[in-house]
């Protein structure tokens, strides 16, 4: 039996028990039967009425619950659509109406809370978006405020705002940095803000400036214009300073006067430009008063640049005013134009000229070392200088061809780029190098031939006059050979030429008679005399040679007497 049936049976039993109790009471009171029946009917009518009311109320409750369930289901469906959630599915387990209504109502309350939270977050995000858009001057993020946003839409909105915040910080940093540079440029240029935009940038607070892309572009354009003007002023100041320094040197302005003007030799402000221009004008007037000295100074500078540019004599003679002595303003203008032209020409070809100059310096050093290599006195040096010079000479001999090849490649590339030829002393560089090497080899060959001719003449003279003693090239332990001066032994004059006769006597061969050959000191009339070579002796070698000379004199006297007797 179900629980409801038990409750109904208990209710009927309770009602019957109550009626039985009423009958007993009525019996004791003595109420007649007809009244009893009336009262019993009345009780039944009241009970039926009460039950009917109760049933109606409960039925109404059931209907309300069912209606609430329908409403909750509809709201759940609507909320799932608005919140973009999957449809709500009820539990399949059997449940009462009251529990079902409670579950559905609770679910509706949860989803309504989610909807309220999303709408509130959307409102806050839109307010933040509007603030950023006002600052950045951009369009607001497009999202329907009437609809409940999904979680994905809210997440996208948050990322969009994060991007806007980062962009705002970037633009603020760019604005502050650019503003700082603009203020510095204006201070450097001694300039005040002219336009309303410039005043907004420089004078107003940073928060009041609209960080739109257009404003930032205009800000960058303003900075570029100011920097260009600043650069122009710097270039102008450098030109003025260069001219002033050049005129100082030409006019030989005292250092004290230059130092007093040194405060204007840096910076590029308006007052600095004015001071430089005034100084230049003053120097220009002085220049006109000292034209001759200025022109001569320019000519010295021209000669220096001509040397740097390897100008030939013919190229230098093209500038005819260089030799003019009619010192006037026109002549000064010609010299100014020429020095400006040659400076520009040198700067245009500076890299090439420096490379050629490097080759020239190394070539000159190579020639010096080569000249030292042929000097016989180089063997008398001490301290290892000879070894160092030989190493440097060998290094230069290897480096010069490499440098020539490098210059050849660079000059070829330059000629292709400039579409013109590169000349050194009116010659192409490689032709100039080839001429230098050819001259070097010709000089070496000429020196070789001269040495051969000198040697041949010496051999001829020795064959004709006999050999003469020579100073050895290398140092020996003993002293040098027989001295070149004539000595007297026992009142007899003996010339140095007799030594060769004595050497022949010692070897056992009689080549010449000492009477028939003229001495080297005096010479024979009609023939050139031979000058003996001077020999430098140390004290030790002098003592050894003195002993040797004494022995030679004794032996020579004895042999001479023996020879004459023979």
């Amino acid at each position: 039996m179900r629980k409801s049936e038990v409750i109904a049976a208990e209710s009927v039993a309770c009602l019957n028990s109550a009626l039985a109790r009423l009958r007993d009471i009525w019996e004791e009171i003595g109420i007649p039967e007809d009244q009893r029946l009336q009262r019993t009917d009345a009780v039944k009518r009241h009970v039926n009425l009460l039950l009917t009311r109760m049933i109606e109320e409960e039925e109404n409750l059931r209907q309300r619950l069912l209606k609430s369930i329908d409403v909750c289901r509809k709201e759940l469906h609507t909320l799932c659509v608005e919140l973009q959630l999957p449809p709500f599915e009820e539990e399949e387990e059997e449940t009462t109406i009251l529990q079902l209504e409670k579950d559905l109502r609770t679910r509706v309350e949860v989803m309504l809370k989610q909807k309220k939270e999303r709408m509130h977050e959307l409102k806050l995000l839109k307010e933040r978006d509007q603030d950023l858009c006002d600052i950045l001057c951009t369009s607001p993020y497009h999202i329907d405020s009437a609809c409940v946003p999904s979680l994905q839409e809210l997440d996208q909105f948050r990322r969009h705002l994060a991007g806007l915040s980062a962009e705002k910080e970037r633009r603020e940093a760019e604005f502050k940095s650019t503003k700082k540079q603009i203020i510095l440029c204006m201070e450097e240029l001694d300039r005040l803000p002219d336009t309303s935009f410039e005043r907004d940038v420089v004078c107003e607070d940073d928060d009041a400036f609209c960080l739109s892309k257009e404003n930032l572009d205009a800000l960058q354009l303003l900075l570029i214009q100011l920097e260009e003007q600043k650069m122009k002023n710097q270039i102008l100041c450098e030109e003025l300073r260069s001219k002033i320094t050049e005129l100082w040197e030409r006019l030989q302005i005292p250092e004290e006067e230059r130092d007093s003007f040194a405060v204007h030799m840096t910076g590029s402000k308006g007052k600095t430009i004015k001071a430089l221009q005034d100084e230049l004008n003053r120097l220009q007037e002085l220049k006109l008063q000292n034209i001759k000295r200025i022109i001569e100074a320019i000519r010295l500078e021209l000669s220096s640049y001509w040397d740097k540019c390897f100008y030939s004599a013919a190229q230098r003679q093209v500038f005819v005013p260089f030799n003019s002595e009619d010192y006037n303003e026109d002549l000064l203008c010609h010299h100014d134009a020429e020095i400006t032209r040659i400076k520009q020409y040198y700067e245009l070809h500076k890299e090439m000229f420096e490379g050629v100059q490097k080759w020239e310096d190394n070539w000159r050093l190579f020639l010096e070392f080569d000249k030292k290599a042929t000097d016989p006195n180089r063997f008398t040096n001490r301290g290892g200088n000879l070894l160092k010079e030989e190493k440097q000479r060998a290094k230069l001999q290897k480096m010069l061809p490499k440098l020539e090849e490098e210059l050849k490649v660079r000059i070829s590339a330059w000629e292709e780029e400039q579409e013109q030829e590169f000349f050194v002393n009116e010659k192409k560089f490689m032709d100039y190098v080839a001429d230098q090497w050819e001259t070097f080899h010709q000089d070496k060959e000429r020196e070789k031939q001269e040495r051969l001719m000198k040697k041949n003449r010496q051999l001829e003279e020795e064959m004709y006059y006999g050999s003469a003693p020579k100073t050895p090239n290398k140092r020996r332990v003993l002293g040098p050979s027989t001295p070149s001066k004539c000595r007297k032994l026992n009142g007899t004059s003996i010339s140095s030429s007799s030594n060769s006769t004595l050497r022949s006597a010692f070897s056992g061969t009689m080549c010449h008679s000492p009477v028939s050959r003229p001495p080297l000191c005096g010479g024979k009339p009609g023939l050139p005399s031979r000058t003996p070579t001077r020999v430098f002796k140390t004290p030790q070698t002098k003592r050894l040679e003195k002993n040797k000379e004494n022995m030679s004199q004794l032996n020579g006297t004895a042999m001479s007497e023996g020879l004459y007797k023979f």
Side-chain angles (χ1 to χ4, degrees):
M1 183 179 295
R2 291 183 300 178
K3 185 177 181 180
S4 58
E5 294 176 353
V6 173
I7 293 174
E10 289 178 353
S11 300
V12 172
C14 182
L15 180 60
N16 291 330
S17 175
L19 289 174
R21 180 62 179 162
L22 284 174
R23 289 188 185 99
D24 293 338
I25 294 173
W26 290 337
E27 182 69 30
E28 291 178 2
I29 296 174
I31 295 176
E33 186 66 27
D34 55 344
Q35 291 181 2
R36 293 179 188 178
L37 292 174
Q38 291 177 357
R39 291 185 179 186
T40 301
D41 293 336
V43 170
K44 289 182 178 179
R45 286 196 301 272
H46 283 294
V47 170
N48 289 332
L49 181 60
L50 179 60
L51 290 175
T52 301
R53 289 178 180 176
M54 289 180 64
I55 290 171
E56 288 178 356
E57 289 178 0
E58 295 301 325
E59 182 65 27
N60 290 333
L61 176 61
R62 188 177 73 85
Q63 292 297 328
R64 286 198 304 272
L65 290 174
L66 292 175
K67 185 177 180 180
S68 176
I69 290 172
D70 290 339
V71 171
C72 289
R73 284 173 176 170
K74 290 179 181 178
E75 288 184 0
L76 282 174
H77 177 73
T78 303
L79 288 171
C80 289
V81 173
E82 290 179 346
L83 297 175
Q84 299 183 19
L85 297 174
F88 176 75
E89 295 181 359
E90 300 178 9
E91 297 180 358
E92 296 181 357
E93 296 180 2
E94 186 176 356
T95 181
T96 61
I97 294 175
L98 185 62
Q99 184 65 36
L100 178 61
E101 191 272 340
K102 181 181 178 181
D103 293 342
L104 292 175
R105 182 164 39 82
T106 303
R107 183 63 181 170
V108 168
E109 291 175 355
V110 170
M111 297 185 73
L112 284 174
K113 184 179 179 181
Q114 291 183 1
K115 176 182 178 180
K116 183 179 179 180
E117 290 176 350
R118 291 191 187 182
M119 294 301 292
H120 180 67
E121 183 177 5
L122 177 62
K123 180 181 177 182
L124 296 178
L125 292 177
K126 287 185 71 66
E127 290 176 356
R128 176 63 178 163
D129 179 61
Q130 188 62 45
D131 293 339
L132 291 174
C133 290
D134 292 340
I135 295 173
L136 301 177
C137 296
T138 56
S139 301
Y141 184 77
H142 178 68
I143 188 171
D144 191 358
S145 301
C147 297
V148 181
S150 65
L151 295 176
Q152 292 79 7
E153 289 175 341
L154 288 176
D155 186 58
Q156 291 178 359
F157 202 176
R158 292 190 204 99
R159 290 199 298 269
H160 172 72
L161 292 179
L164 284 182
S165 299
E167 179 67 15
K168 176 194 170 186
E169 293 178 359
R170 187 191 68 79
R171 292 189 183 183
E172 283 179 346
E174 180 182 353
F175 167 70
K176 292 178 180 179
S177 175
T178 308
K179 177 181 177 180
K180 183 178 179 180
Q181 296 178 45
I182 288 174
I183 292 175
L184 291 176
C185 287
M186 285 187 172
E187 291 177 354
E188 184 70 21
L189 295 171
D190 288 337
R191 173 182 169 182
L192 296 175
D194 296 334
T195 64
S196 60
F197 179 76
E198 293 178 1
R199 287 190 290 271
D200 291 340
V201 173
V202 177
C203 303
E204 298 296 333
D205 295 335
D206 295 347
D207 297 334
F209 186 78
C210 180
L211 299 176
S212 65
K213 192 174 184 303
E214 292 76 12
N215 283 352
L216 291 179
D217 292 341
L219 201 65
Q220 288 293 334
L221 180 60
L222 175 61
L223 177 60
I224 291 173
Q225 292 174 351
L226 292 175
E227 286 181 343
E228 288 179 352
Q229 184 61 43
K230 180 181 175 182
M231 185 63 66
K232 290 179 181 178
N233 288 358
Q234 290 176 350
I235 294 173
L236 176 60
C237 288
E238 289 301 323
E239 291 177 353
L240 292 174
R241 291 187 184 108
S242 177
K243 293 178 180 179
I244 288 172
T245 304
E246 183 178 351
L247 288 174
W248 278 350
E249 295 297 331
R250 291 180 180 176
L251 296 171
Q252 299 179 358
I253 301 297
E255 289 295 333
E256 295 79 8
E257 189 174 346
R258 301 185 189 186
D259 294 338
S260 64
F261 192 76
V263 67
H264 301 294
M265 295 305 285
T266 57
S268 59
K269 293 185 177 181
K271 59 181 181 181
T272 303
I273 296 176
K274 186 177 184 303
L276 291 172
Q277 191 64 55
D278 292 342
E279 176 66 9
L280 181 61
N281 293 336
R282 184 183 73 85
L283 294 174
Q284 292 286 359
E285 293 177 0
L286 288 177
K287 183 178 73 171
L288 295 177
Q289 298 172 8
N290 300 271
I291 287 181
K292 181 177 180 180
R293 188 173 63 179
I294 296 298
I295 291 176
E296 290 176 350
I298 295 176
R299 286 175 177 175
L300 290 176
E301 190 175 5
L302 268 176
S303 299
S304 174
Y305 272 97
W306 283 342
D307 293 337
K308 290 180 180 179
C309 296
F310 301 96
Y311 264 36
S312 64
Q315 288 177 298
R316 302 184 187 204
Q317 291 174 0
V318 172
F319 184 61
V320 178
F322 189 83
N323 299 316
S324 176
E325 296 183 359
D326 185 12
Y327 297 100
N328 52 40
E329 190 172 353
D330 291 338
L331 185 64
L332 179 60
C333 291
H334 287 305
H335 280 73
D336 283 334
E338 179 63 16
I339 193 64
T340 302
R341 185 195 67 81
I342 194 65
K343 283 182 178 179
Q344 292 175 352
Y345 176 75
Y346 176 75
E347 290 298 327
L348 181 63
H349 307 273
K350 184 176 181 180
E351 185 179 356
M352 298 296 102
F353 287 133
E354 288 179 349
V356 174
Q357 186 61 49
K358 181 180 178 181
W359 182 90
E360 283 278 353
D361 295 340
N362 286 283
W363 175 255
R364 193 177 300 108
L365 189 60
F366 171 74
L367 293 179
E368 291 177 2
F369 285 142
D370 185 77
K371 184 178 180 180
K372 289 181 180 180
T374 60
D375 185 8
N377 295 327
R378 73 186 189 281
F379 296 106
T380 61
N381 81 92
R382 295 184 182 274
N385 291 333
L386 179 61
L387 181 60
K388 293 178 182 178
E389 291 178 0
E390 285 298 322
K391 287 183 178 180
Q392 291 179 355
R393 180 171 174 270
K395 182 180 179 181
L396 286 172
Q397 198 165 5
K398 292 180 180 179
M399 187 176 65
L400 281 172
K402 294 181 181 179
L403 186 58
E404 291 166 8
E405 188 63 28
E406 179 183 349
L407 283 172
K408 179 181 178 182
V409 174
R410 288 168 57 185
I411 290 173
S412 299
W414 183 89
E415 288 178 344
E416 291 180 2
E417 180 181 353
Q418 301 291 330
E419 296 182 354
Q420 57 178 324
E421 294 182 337
F422 183 79
F423 291 98
V424 175
N425 291 330
E426 293 186 328
K427 294 181 181 179
K428 297 189 69 174
F429 176 70
M430 295 312 298
D431 296 339
Y432 173 74
V433 171
D435 290 345
Q436 295 295 318
W437 278 108
E438 181 65 24
T439 303
F440 171 74
H441 292 308
Q442 289 178 357
D443 291 342
K444 298 293 287 185
E445 184 64 25
R446 186 179 66 254
E447 291 175 1
K448 180 180 178 182
Q449 295 297 330
E450 288 177 355
R451 286 196 302 270
L452 289 175
M453 292 175 63
K454 182 178 179 181
K455 186 175 181 181
N456 291 335
R457 285 197 302 269
Q458 184 177 357
L459 289 175
E460 291 176 1
E461 290 178 1
E462 288 182 355
M463 289 177 65
Y464 185 79
Y465 297 108
S467 61
K470 299 180 181 179
T471 303
N473 291 330
K474 296 184 179 179
R475 292 178 294 178
R476 297 177 181 176
V477 178
L478 297 177
S481 302
T482 306
S484 59
K485 295 183 179 180
C486 299
R487 293 181 174 83
K488 295 182 180 180
L489 181 60
N490 295 328
T492 304
S493 177
I494 303 174
S495 66
S496 62
S497 61
S498 62
N499 291 332
S500 60
T501 308
L502 294 177
R503 285 196 300 271
S504 301
F506 283 128
S507 62
T509 305
M510 181 66 69
C511 296
H512 297 281
S513 172
V515 180
S516 62
R517 188 169 54 192
L520 294 176
C521 295
K524 190 176 181 180
L527 294 175
S529 61
R530 301 180 64 188
T531 303
T533 305
R534 183 179 180 185
V535 181
F536 296 93
K537 306 178 182 65
T538 62
Q540 182 180 3
T541 55
K542 287 181 178 180
R543 288 194 299 269
L544 293 173
E545 185 174 324
K546 188 66 177 177
N547 296 333
K548 184 177 179 181
E549 287 175 356
N550 294 334
M551 294 299 297
S552 299
Q553 289 175 359
L554 294 175
N555 294 333
T557 303
M559 288 193 66
S560 299
E561 293 176 356
L563 287 173
Y564 288 129
K565 290 180 180 179
F566 180 78

